[in-house]
Amino acid sequence: MTTNPIRKIIIDTDPGQDDAVAILLALASPENVDVLGITTVAGNVPLPLTKKNARIVCELAKRPETKVFSGCDRPMQRPLVTAEHVHGKTGLDGPVMQDPTMALQHQHAVDFIIETLRQEPSGTVTLCPLGPLTNIGTALQQAPDIADRVQEIVLMGGAYFEVGNITPAAEFNIYVDPEAADIVFKSGISVTVMPLDTTHKALTTKPRVDAFRALNTQVGNMVAEWTDFFERFDKEKYGSNGAPLHDPCVIAYLIQPDLFSGRMINVAIETQSELTLGMTVADWWGVTDRPANAMFMGDIDADGFFNLLTERLGRL
């Protein structure tokens, strides 16, 4: 395993139990990632809950100094679609959660993203969207100059072989705000995608959840309870042995990229069709002449991923 330089990141998120685990993984890995801030967006649950949940997670990690920003409360052009059917009415259903005491930053998330990219040296900040791409799309629309300054966007979203989890054709994050996703994929920024094709191979099987619980810590128990809660939905839907831990794949890639493999391909976002709205049309087989615009991951070393996750969560 090669060690990479510490990456400055902004986590853009709609927590969500798997978002929460991704945030914990980042905050537990200061030798790999420097979390400049956490920006919240409406997605899994509405914005008042996502901005609350992000602070709950920071306090759980004993990192109340982390800057958390409130962002867009609805998609760029559409009504909000949420996913309480997966994550519960709070977004973090499962264990009993204490309300956070740490303050929310006054600045809007989009302004923070723009300001940070303009202030930090060009090519040194990675954006890590774990939810709908509304904040990122809005920032790029308001300040096109920042596109050249982003080091990379590593996002959880989309699917090709696994197709859809919210409609037959679309993955939830892209479906909620396809216009924002379209802006991101057309931005010219280096994009790395963790689609369902990858995340559905990172399942919370019983031995993996038992390993979280065996940490005998507040964090380990909380993560085990979260996964117990939301895996019921996926087990029933897919008939699988556990639920995919989608969002931590983004952070794991920044820490240990050799856990993942994929292809540089063209990815286009469907924004017009009622039938396939939000589909990530991934040219995996290179059948068009559209230029490659994304590293689209297809596989993961799931055991390596869960080993990393358990080791890092054990630090908290």
Side-chain angles (χ1 to χ4, degrees), residues 111-122 125 139 142-146 149:
D111 296 329
F112 168 72
I113 291 167
I114 293 169
E115 183 180 283
T116 304
L117 285 164
R118 285 176 174 167
Q119 285 180 352
E120 295 287 338
S122 186
V125 176
Q142 287 183 11
D145 59 286
I146 63 173
R149 304 186 65 82

Side-chain angles (χ1 to χ4, degrees), residues 16-312:
Q17 291 93 344
D18 56 325
D19 303 72
V21 178
I23 293 167
L24 292 172
L25 177 58
L27 294 178
S29 306
E31 73 272 44
N32 303 108
V33 292
D34 174 12
V35 181
L36 302 180
I38 296 174
T39 52
T40 59
V41 68
N44 284 323
V45 286
L47 184 68
L49 287 169
T50 64
K51 63 188 181 186
K52 175 182 171 181
N53 291 348
R55 289 177 290 153
I56 287 173
V57 176
C58 291
E59 290 186 354
L60 176 63
K62 298 187 168 50
R63 291 285 299 277
E65 74 284 358
T66 307
K67 292 179 177 175
V68 177
F69 300 82
S70 175
C72 299
D73 66 355
R74 63 179 69 101
M76 295 178 79
Q77 296 180 24
R78 297 174 186 276
L80 177 64
V81 176
T82 54
E84 287 90 349
H85 61 288
V86 182
H87 299 280
K89 64 182 187 304
T90 67
L92 292 179
D93 276 21
V96 177
M97 312 295 298
Q98 298 298 316
D99 282 353
T101 56
M102 65 183 272
L104 192 68
Q105 301 295 310
H106 294 301
Q107 190 177 25
H108 191 282
V110 170
D111 296 329
F112 168 72
I113 291 167
I114 293 169
E115 183 180 283
T116 304
L117 285 164
R118 285 176 174 167
Q119 285 180 352
E120 295 287 338
S122 186
T124 63
V125 176
T126 295
L127 302 179
C128 299
L130 310 178
L133 290 158
T134 313
N135 287 338
I136 312 299
T138 303
L140 288 166
Q141 193 177 60
Q142 287 183 11
D145 59 286
I146 63 173
D148 289 342
R149 304 186 65 82
V150 179
Q151 180 178 359
E152 187 179 7
I153 294 176
V154 184
L155 66 91
M156 189 277 132
Y160 181 60
F161 296 98
E162 287 279 332
V163 286
N165 65 354
I166 185 72
T167 73
E171 178 275 331
F172 177 80
N173 287 344
I174 306 295
Y175 176 78
V176 170
D177 199 340
E179 283 76 18
D182 190 47
I183 289 171
V184 167
F185 280 90
K186 287 177 175 170
S187 65
I189 299 168
S190 172
V191 177
T192 296
V193 185
M194 294 292 163
L196 300 180
D197 306 301
T198 296
T199 65
H200 277 187
K201 295 171 183 167
L203 297 178
T204 57
T205 58
K206 186 176 185 302
R208 290 166 177 167
V209 177
D210 288 347
F212 296 147
R213 214 170 251 117
L215 293 170
N216 274 326
T217 61
Q218 187 188 11
V219 168
N221 290 331
M222 198 74 86
V223 170
E225 287 187 55
W226 282 336
T227 51
D228 282 346
F229 177 84
F230 83 89
E231 75 177 12
R232 293 180 307 198
F233 174 80
D234 283 293
K235 279 179 167 175
E236 189 179 328
K237 178 173 167 184
Y238 296 111
S240 54
N241 294 323
L245 262 188
H246 306 283
D247 295 331
C249 291
V250 167
I251 307 301
Y253 169 75
L254 297 176
I255 297 170
Q256 202 175 332
D258 57 3
L259 291 172
F260 301 90
S261 60
R263 292 183 186 179
M264 270 302 297
I265 62 169
N266 180 272
V267 179
I269 309 297
E270 178 55 60
T271 59
Q272 304 298 317
S273 163
E274 211 173 300
L275 183 66
T276 57
L277 181 70
M279 186 174 188
T280 42
V281 182
D283 187 8
W284 186 261
W285 304 113
V287 295
T288 73
D289 55 7
R290 293 197 289 267
N293 62 347
M295 170 56 83
F296 201 82
M297 292 301 174
D299 209 355
I300 179 174
D301 169 1
D303 287 335
F305 168 76
F306 278 95
N307 291 341
L308 172 69
L309 198 49
T310 307
E311 183 260 314
R312 294 297 164 95

